[in-house]
Amino acid sequence: MIFYRLREFAGRLYDNVEIALWAVLLAFVIFMAVFVVPALPALREKYQRARTQEISAENALYCKKLNMKEGTEAYRDCLLVLGDFRLKVEQRAYSESDF
């Protein structure tokens, strides 16, 4: 008799825990759909903007290390060449990652 009650209790406990876990999963999916997914494009744009500024600052730093003064034609050419070089490297890395 005690084993029957224990088994019945364990079965009810299992069912309640399972229902609670499904409820938590459903709440998480709703939260993601309502709050996180709509914010993804703005977050991606913010990341891209920060990355672009970081790359621009790095390019300027390298041109300064090559003893080019800011505002000169050589400095602007250096920035253009470095930007073009980075673009080609990133495109090559992206195309090689497809394999």
Side-chain angles (χ1 to χ4, degrees):
M1 183 71 170
I2 193 163
F3 291 116
Y4 176 73
R5 284 186 177 183
L6 187 58
R7 179 179 279 183
E8 186 179 306
F9 174 75
R12 279 187 279 137
L13 180 64
Y14 178 85
D15 290 341
N16 288 338
V17 169
E18 184 180 19
I19 289 170
L21 288 174
W22 279 110
V24 168
L25 177 64
L26 180 63
F28 178 74
V29 168
I30 291 171
F31 173 80
M32 291 292 288
V34 171
F35 295 107
V36 176
V37 172
L40 287 178
L43 290 173
R44 187 176 299 120
E45 182 181 324
K46 183 178 177 183
Y47 167 76
Q48 276 301 115
R49 198 175 315 115
R51 186 171 184 268
T52 301
Q53 289 174 349
E54 182 180 301
I55 289 172
S56 177
E58 285 179 7
N59 287 350
L61 178 69
Y62 285 123
C63 289
K64 287 177 187 175
K65 282 184 178 183
L66 294 171
N67 294 327
M68 296 184 188
K69 294 189 180 191
E70 229 176 305
T72 63
E73 186 70 29
Y75 181 81
R76 286 189 292 275
D77 289 342
C78 177
L79 290 176
L80 290 174
V81 169
L82 276 176
D84 188 44
F85 174 73
R86 280 185 186 259
L87 179 64
K88 287 179 183 177
V89 168
E90 287 179 4
Q91 287 174 342
R92 186 176 302 134
Y94 180 75
S95 67
E96 289 176 358
S97 69
D98 291 341
F99 294 110

